[in-house]
Amino acid sequence: MRIVIAEDDPLLREGLALLLRAESLDVVATAGTADGILDAIDEHRPDVAILDVRMPPTHTDEGIVAAVEARRRRPDLAVLVLSAYVEQSFATELLGGGVGGIGYLLKERVGRVEEFLDALRRVADGGTAIDPEVVAQLFTRSRHDTRLERLSPRERDVLALMAEGLGNSAIAERLVVTDGAVHKHIRSIFAKLDLSPTDHVDRRVAAVLHYLEDVRHRA
């Protein structure tokens, strides 16, 4: 796995690089600016880009803008965005495309090394990884959506764990139910959110991002 890192804090940037290299992952470049990471992506053709949301010069949305531009240039590039706290509009801007290979984590998650590495691998494999705190806040904001109101409390639990990027077996383990029960809940979620098996999108990703789109439009 070839990785580039964009983080303007030198200590965090180098610490993250050391952590990943200690796991035998190939950090091919680091940068302290959004422009610098785009240049590194063009030069090194990495598998994954890890970017901070707020970067120079304005420390507002440079990381998100760079992530979106990186995906425009390289649709196959996996992108994991790190943020100091939940920024809902930025999360939905990045995740609203309805495709995989995207992650949005709070920086505090990096300190939980196994969780962070698991999220990184899921994103690199084309899945999604959304911080549980982001999921919780977005669910709270989106409860007015009528299609989401069709979901039972257990189906909401399953969808929240899907949003974090967990597979069926991991969801079953977390909720202490069988794999078959999880599969049944997911089928019901697809039906209640009007997601047809003939749609030309990944229904799992579409289900997760449905409420994110709703939050973005109503924010």
Side-chain angles (χ1 to χ4, degrees), residues 79-208:
V79 174
L80 178 58
V81 174
L82 303 178
S83 180
Y85 49 89
V86 178
E87 304 183 70
Q88 293 176 337
S89 62
F90 295 164
T92 53
E93 180 180 357
L94 178 66
L95 297 165
V99 294
I102 291 288
Y104 188 99
L105 299 180
L106 297 181
K107 287 186 177 180
E108 65 185 42
R109 200 69 54 185
V110 177
R112 303 172 189 177
V113 176
E114 289 305 318
E115 290 184 28
F116 172 68
L117 292 174
D118 180 61
L120 176 63
R121 293 185 179 104
R122 288 204 307 270
V123 170
D125 288 339
T128 58
I130 307 177
D131 196 282
E133 183 62 26
V134 176
V135 173
Q137 290 200 26
L138 292 173
F139 257 128
T140 299
R141 287 285 303 278
S142 62
R143 283 178 180 168
H144 56 269
D145 182 270
T146 56
R147 281 185 286 185
L148 290 173
E149 288 172 358
R150 300 173 188 171
L151 303 184
S152 69
R154 177 60 84 186
E155 288 164 354
R156 282 182 172 274
D157 292 340
V158 171
L159 182 53
L161 294 173
M162 288 168 61
E164 291 181 33
L166 300 186
N168 289 12
S169 295
I171 292 173
E173 182 177 350
R174 185 78 65 88
L175 298 179
V176 195
V177 298
T178 66
D179 285 4
V182 171
H183 185 66
K184 180 179 178 181
H185 287 313
I186 291 174
R187 286 204 314 270
S188 179
I189 289 167
F190 291 159
K192 291 180 179 180
L193 295 183
D194 301 325
L195 296 172
S196 167
T198 60
D199 289 343
H200 297 293
V201 294
D202 184 324
R203 287 194 296 168
R204 195 180 187 94
V205 174
V208 167

Side-chain angles (χ1 to χ4, degrees), residues 29-107:
T30 63
T33 65
D35 288 341
I37 203 61
L38 288 173
D39 290 342
I41 289 169
D42 288 340
E43 178 181 354
H44 295 283
R45 310 284 297 177
D47 303 302
V48 185
I50 301 174
L51 302 96
D52 184 17
V53 167
R54 297 179 180 269
M55 300 186 69
T58 68
H59 294 278
T60 55
D61 63 348
E62 283 85 355
I64 290 292
V65 171
V68 172
E69 173 61 17
R71 290 279 288 209
R72 186 191 68 79
R73 298 184 188 183
R74 291 267 316 282
D76 62 332
L77 177 69
V79 174
L80 178 58
V81 174
L82 303 178
S83 180
Y85 49 89
V86 178
E87 304 183 70
Q88 293 176 337
S89 62
F90 295 164
T92 53
E93 180 180 357
L94 178 66
L95 297 165
V99 294
I102 291 288
Y104 188 99
L105 299 180
L106 297 181
K107 287 186 177 180

